[in-house]
């Protein structure tokens, strides 16, 4: 069966890198002038040659986002159900060999966390688990979705990649969207960071959005973990992946996230630094490439950065996030997957967004458009 893997294998990492780094001012001006932009334009917009045009990019990105999404921003909350994990990932606090207390929420505990998030106004929840098939496999996720599906307009998951039939089952139970980040599209580096467990299978992960598309999911979230490899090349492959999926699974909606490596227990230092200016450039470049794609920002980023970026292209944002199972109401002191940076309450974030002229919406965009 055809999948993104066949497209991906036609590209060489080093050629993409040199293609981006040799883009010129003329290429950037051409990309800015175009109304419909290609992947070559995207390369120009993420290149060093585009740095002097950042303000212009931000202006176009902001206008385009307002035109498509209005003066609104969508709020969601992550809920960690379990920190059990059978993988080793060099950058994650939940990695199998980290000696931390493991916990998986019971139904009663899930409902306690849900009650807390509902009291804050959330109607879009992101369920997160580690990858531990025996404890938090398909049955556990299915049970959690069924348990809470009447309480939320949208349920998204960020859990282990699954087979198409598993996704079909979960969609029947009320699943709305799936986030599956490739972490890095550099196959050799990927192996170094995922030496053990099912996640070490690069191709299975790469083809997950195809299985989701075939299962008929409403929305797929893509992204790379910036810091593992060159952020420009990883972003190009993310854009290539998006471009492919939009053509093949055209009924599905898409979102992009921009996680940068954060400190955690047994922490990994970023191999490649991505500055705040780089991240602004990238967010604007994605908006210039595609005015429909949703762009999401988590609490990994600082207060200042998030305040700056919410008017420049971002369409959804989380607040008050806890990255430990039971972190909201059951056991607020347990160990987090990574340290969050913006620790403000939901109410403070809502007030900040309002002060920037943004109306907060609590359901996913598809529902707001109906
Ligand atoms: S990133 Fe995911 S799969 Fe890897 S160790 Fe962390 S929880 Fe497990």
């Amino acid at each position: 069966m055809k999948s993104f893997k066949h497209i991906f294998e036609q590209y060489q990492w080093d050629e993409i890198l040199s293609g981006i780094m040799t883009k010129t001012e003329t290429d950037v001006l051409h990309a800015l002038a175009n109304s419909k932009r290609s992947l070559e334009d995207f390369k120009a917009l993420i290149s060093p040659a585009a740095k002097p045009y950042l303000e212009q990019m931000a202006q176009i990105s902001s206008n385009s986002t307002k035109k498509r999404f209005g003066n609104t921003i969508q709020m969601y909350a992550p809920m960690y159900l379990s920190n059990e994990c059978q993988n080793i990932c060099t950058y994650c606090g939940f990695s199998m060999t980290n000696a931390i207390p493991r916990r998986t929420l019971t139904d009663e505990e899930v409902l306690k966390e849900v009650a807390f998030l509902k009291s804050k106004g959330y109607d879009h929840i992101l369920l997160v688990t580690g990858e531990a098939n025996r404890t938090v496999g398909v049955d556990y996720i299915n049970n959690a979705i069924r348990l809470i599906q009447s309480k939320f307009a949208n349920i998204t998951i960020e859990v282990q990649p699954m087979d198409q039939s598993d996704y079909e089952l979960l969609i029947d139970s009320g699943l709305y969207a799936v986030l599956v980040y490739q972490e890095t599209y550099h196959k050799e580096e990927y192996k170094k960071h995922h030496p053990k467990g099912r996640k070490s299978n690069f191709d299975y992960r790469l083809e997950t959005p195809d299985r989701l598309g075939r299962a008929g999911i409403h929305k797929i979230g893509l992204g790379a973990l910036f810091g593992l490899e060159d952020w420009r090349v990883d972003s190009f492959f993310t854009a290539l992946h998006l471009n492919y999926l939009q053509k093949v699974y055209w009924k599905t909606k898409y979102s992009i996230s921009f996680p940068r490596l954060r400190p955690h227990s047994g922490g990994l230092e970023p191999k490649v630094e991505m500055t705040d200016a780089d991240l602004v450039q990238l967010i604007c470049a994605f908006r210039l490439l595609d005015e429909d794609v949703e762009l999401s920002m988590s609490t990994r980023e600082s207060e200042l950065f998030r305040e700056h970026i919410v008017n420049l292209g971002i369409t959804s944002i989380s607040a008050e996030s806890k990255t430990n199972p039971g972190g909201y109401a059951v056991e607020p002191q347990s160990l987090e997957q990574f340290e969050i940076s913006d620790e403000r309450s939901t109410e403070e974030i809502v007030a900040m967004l309002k002060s920037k002229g943004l109306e907060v919406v609590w359901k996913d965009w598809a529902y707001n458009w109906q």
Side-chain angles (χ1 to χ4, degrees):
M1 206 175 289
K2 282 258 178 196
S3 74
F4 178 64
K5 184 168 176 262
H6 300 94
I7 311 269
F8 175 75
E9 285 172 346
Q10 293 165 23
Y11 290 81
Q12 298 300 323
W13 183 277
D14 291 343
E15 279 174 23
I16 300 295
L17 180 60
S18 113
I20 295 169
M21 300 311 274
T22 52
K23 288 287 181 196
T24 63
E25 187 178 14
T26 311
D27 297 322
V28 176
L29 290 171
H30 181 77
L32 287 172
N34 280 345
S35 56
K36 189 125 188 65
R37 298 180 180 91
S38 65
L39 285 170
E40 281 306 308
D41 290 330
F42 182 75
K43 281 188 195 165
L45 294 171
I46 59 173
S47 75
K51 270 274 149 42
Y53 295 91
L54 200 47
E55 235 178 277
Q56 202 175 328
M57 285 173 65
Q59 194 59 54
I60 302 172
S61 174
S62 171
N63 291 344
S64 160
T65 309
K66 272 190 204 143
K67 196 173 114 208
R68 184 67 180 93
F69 296 88
N71 272 325
T72 56
I73 195 154
Q74 196 259 313
M75 298 269 291
Y76 71 95
M79 186 167 106
Y80 279 66
L81 298 173
S82 174
N83 61 2
E84 304 257 3
C85 195
Q86 290 161 352
N87 285 323
I88 296 180
C89 301
T90 56
Y91 46 82
C92 178
F94 293 171
S95 193
M96 188 176 79
T97 44
N98 280 2
I100 57 164
R102 304 286 171 166
R103 144 165 234 153
T104 298
L105 299 188
T106 62
D107 286 2
E108 201 186 350
E109 289 169 337
V110 169
L111 291 173
K112 210 168 163 188
E113 294 282 279
V114 162
F116 176 87
L117 293 172
K118 289 304 294 181
S119 76
K120 295 279 179 170
Y122 289 100
D123 214 3
H124 180 186
I125 193 162
L126 167 64
L127 302 180
V128 188
T129 66
E131 299 191 10
N133 213 17
R134 278 192 296 275
T135 36
V136 287
V138 182
D139 291 346
Y140 179 87
I141 305 293
N142 194 35
N143 175 65
I145 291 172
R146 286 177 168 272
L147 186 67
I148 66 171
Q149 60 88 20
S150 63
K151 301 179 190 303
F152 293 95
N154 309 107
I155 300 175
T156 296
I157 58 171
E158 187 180 343
V159 305
Q160 62 179 331
M162 295 174 186
D163 293 341
Q164 183 180 333
S165 56
D166 298 329
Y167 288 131
E168 285 163 353
L169 174 79
L170 299 184
I171 293 166
D172 272 353
S173 298
L175 177 64
Y176 174 72
V178 176
L179 310 185
V180 56
Y181 307 142
Q182 189 58 32
E183 316 299 11
T184 176
Y185 288 83
H186 193 298
K187 205 164 178 175
E188 287 71 43
E189 282 297 314
Y190 182 95
K191 279 189 196 132
K192 285 187 205 162
H193 291 291
H194 308 98
K196 198 167 174 352
R198 285 181 60 182
K199 197 167 175 178
S200 59
N201 187 338
F202 179 91
D203 289 347
Y204 187 71
R205 197 167 185 90
L206 189 70
E207 293 182 315
T208 303
D210 278 286
R211 296 194 298 280
L212 281 163
R214 281 184 220 120
I217 193 80
H218 298 283
K219 189 163 86 176
I220 302 172
L222 304 173
L225 179 58
F226 298 121
L228 297 185
E229 248 305 328
D230 184 277
W231 68 266
R232 291 185 170 92
V233 185
D234 264 329
S235 300
F236 169 79
F237 278 114
T238 306
L240 183 73
H241 208 162
L242 172 69
N243 186 270
Y244 158 83
L245 292 167
Q246 285 174 327
K247 283 184 189 140
V248 180
Y249 311 104
W250 52 271
K251 285 187 182 167
T252 300
K253 294 187 184 305
Y254 298 92
S255 69
I256 307 286
S257 299
F258 306 91
R260 286 194 282 188
L261 264 181
R262 292 282 309 149
H264 69 89
S265 106
L268 174 81
E269 284 300 312
K271 173 180 168 187
V272 182
E273 202 204 345
M274 182 189 213
T275 66
D276 285 356
D278 293 336
L279 185 49
V280 173
Q281 182 182 0
L282 178 62
I283 289 168
C284 295
F286 263 110
R287 177 56 68 225
L288 268 64
L289 175 70
D290 186 330
E291 64 177 25
D292 289 332
V293 72
E294 294 172 34
L295 304 179
S296 185
M297 177 62 44
S298 78
T299 51
R300 279 174 183 255
E301 296 299 335
S302 70
E303 292 186 19
L304 198 65
F305 186 81
R306 279 167 35 108
E307 292 198 9
H308 184 61
I309 202 70
V310 287
N311 288 112
L312 295 186
I314 292 299
T315 55
S316 61
I317 191 166
S318 55
E320 205 175 339
S321 302
K322 300 291 179 208
T323 66
N324 43 333
Y328 295 109
V330 176
E331 193 190 14
Q333 279 81 38
S334 55
L335 193 71
E336 297 198 304
Q337 186 190 31
F338 56 85
E339 292 169 25
I340 65 165
S341 187
D342 185 348
E343 296 187 336
R344 287 174 293 179
S345 68
T346 302
E347 294 78 8
E348 287 172 301
I349 296 295
V350 169
M352 178 275 284
L353 294 170
K354 283 187 179 158
S355 77
K356 297 195 160 278
L358 292 162
E359 185 196 335
V360 170
V361 290
W362 299 91
K363 293 180 177 58
D364 194 79
W365 294 110
Y367 283 71
N368 294 307
W369 285 335
Q370 278 171 0

